[in-house]
Amino acid sequence: MGEFELIRRYFAASPCAQAASGVALGIGDDCALLQPGAGQQLAVSTDTLVCGVHFPVSCDSFLLGQRALAVSVSDLAAMGAEPLGFTLALTLPDADAHWLEGFSRGLSQMAEACAIALVGGDTTRGPLSLTLTVFGQVPAGQALPRSGAQPGDLLCVGGSLGDAAGALPLVLGEREVTDEDADCLQQRYWAPQPQLALGQWLRGRATAALDISDGLLADCGHIAKASGVALQIERDRLPLSPALRRVAGDQALACALAGGDDYRLAFTLPAELQPNLQAQWPETAVIGRAVAGQGVQLLDGQGRSVELPRAGYQHFGQSLGMQGD
Ligand code: ADP
Ligand code: MG
């Protein structure tokens, strides 16, 4: 199978590349043409996933396709943006039809769930890696930055935390559990649902937002630093799923605090909006507040400061000064 036949069969002709609003021209020309609505800004984000670093060598290509796109679209959700399209730069060791078929199906399934279309890319030979660039639109001036949290704001998250971290030993094959709980956690790892509708609702309401990829503590640290506030997290208010409690036992809290890969939104909100938030989004949880100061503090049930577990995952540690995906 030649390069062009591969592109046609698994990408240009797949459901994820079909016509979509906001896409004036898709795959096949020198550039794709996107058409943001009047008064909208373009939101752009790129993520690279490298085999052996971000996903295991043996991983199922359907699951990989789903997850790769979900992780990228989650960045649009965190800005309050609405998806327009994405590109895929794919490096493959060989043209394995079975692998490509699964990958294309996984990508298409998540593309449909997120209402985003594949509009272009590049296909090369080499060690397996994927780079996805997502494009979205957000009304000018209304994107959700990390920098606006104010003392007195509530700190909130979009749903249960730590499920993906709880699934990691199962994903890596270090633990064999096949029951409903294990399936539920693995689903949260392989197919996180980008919180697009919540992100768009937060426009004009949240003062700061991001999606949790490196772990709650590490990512709250980014909001605290960008906003020049301290964030206090109340340990007993962290939403832990029943499945995580059963599978991870006494490690459940550590998964929620330091485990990455949740792709839930974390955001700060003026306190008067709490009733509104919880009426509209019952799965969200208020987990703390912003106060004057700096850094992230963890509080026990009596409001006393407790020691933080280790920070979130960082690729290559400090030596290259690079942050995780
Ligand atoms: P060019 O030589 O102009 O870079 P290519 O031969 O690389 O074009 O690609 C041909 C067309 O197929 C382009 O529209 C490109 O965006 C698209 N394309 C290539 N690889 C992929 C891919 N993996 N997924 C989606 N579209 C792709
Ligand atoms: Mg090219």
Side-chain angles (χ1 to χ4, degrees):
M1 179 172 34
E3 179 191 338
F4 294 110
E5 174 57 11
L6 185 159
I7 294 169
R8 191 196 64 76
R9 192 183 300 179
Y10 299 107
F11 299 109
S14 82
C16 60
Q18 299 321 300
S21 65
V23 180
L25 183 63
I27 294 175
D29 214 311
D30 296 310
C31 289
L33 298 174
L34 300 181
Q35 185 62 66
Q40 305 272 326
Q41 288 176 324
L42 200 55
V44 183
S45 170
T46 289
D47 280 301
T48 294
L49 301 180
V50 177
C51 180
V53 178
H54 300 97
F55 59 90
V57 179
S58 60
C59 109
D60 180 272
S61 63
F62 172 83
L63 296 174
L64 179 63
Q66 266 196 336
R67 183 167 190 278
L69 183 55
V71 164
S72 292
V73 172
S74 181
D75 283 319
L76 294 178
M79 285 308 269
E82 174 193 342
L84 283 174
F86 71 103
T87 61
L88 168 69
L90 182 61
T91 304
L92 292 169
D94 48 39
D96 177 336
H98 178 72
W99 191 94
L100 280 159
E101 188 274 325
F103 181 76
S104 165
R105 263 194 309 116
L107 207 60
S108 289
Q109 188 151 313
M110 188 56 71
E112 191 186 346
C114 299
I116 190 168
L118 178 63
V119 299
D122 197 24
T123 307
T124 51
R125 190 183 293 272
L128 180 59
S129 86
L130 332 164
T131 297
L132 281 84
T133 302
V134 291
F135 301 85
Q137 62 179 359
V138 59
Q142 288 191 35
L144 305 171
R146 299 178 172 192
S147 55
Q150 298 286 328
D153 286 349
L154 300 175
L155 175 63
C156 313
V157 291
S160 65
L161 299 175
D163 294 330
L168 210 53
L170 310 169
V171 168
L172 295 174
E174 293 165 4
R175 228 178 117 184
E176 292 274 336
V177 186
T178 48
D179 61 20
E180 226 171 276
D181 288 340
D183 288 351
C184 162
L185 297 187
Q186 295 204 68
Q187 181 69 12
R188 288 275 300 118
Y189 179 87
W190 285 116
Q193 300 297 316
Q195 297 196 288
L196 288 161
L198 174 60
Q200 288 166 39
W201 185 85
L202 290 172
R203 295 196 299 236
R205 296 186 169 98
T207 50
L210 48 61
D211 61 324
I212 304 170
S213 58
D214 297 332
L216 178 70
L217 292 174
D219 286 319
C220 283
H222 297 316
I223 293 182
K225 190 167 180 205
S227 298
V229 297
L231 292 177
Q232 295 182 328
I233 298 173
E234 294 175 44
R235 192 181 58 186
D236 298 346
R237 297 178 82 170
L238 294 175
L240 306 179
S241 71
L244 179 69
R245 288 178 194 274
R246 286 190 289 261
V247 170
D250 60 6
Q251 292 300 302
L253 189 66
C255 287
L257 287 169
D261 299 321
D262 272 321
Y263 301 101
R264 301 286 199 200
L265 299 188
F267 51 96
T268 52
L269 198 70
E272 65 270 20
L273 294 180
Q274 182 175 3
N276 210 345
L277 175 78
Q278 289 186 323
Q280 288 276 335
W281 305 97
E283 69 277 25
T284 62
V286 176
I287 61 165
R289 61 177 56 248
V291 296
Q294 57 182 354
V296 178
Q297 299 154 15
L298 186 62
L299 306 181
D300 68 11
Q302 277 74 50
R304 289 180 305 230
S305 194
V306 294
E307 207 185 318
L308 301 177
R310 67 168 185 86
Y313 181 62
Q314 289 193 353
H315 292 274
F316 313 113
Q318 299 300 332
S319 57
L320 292 172
M322 295 172 78
Q323 273 294 156
D325 56 3

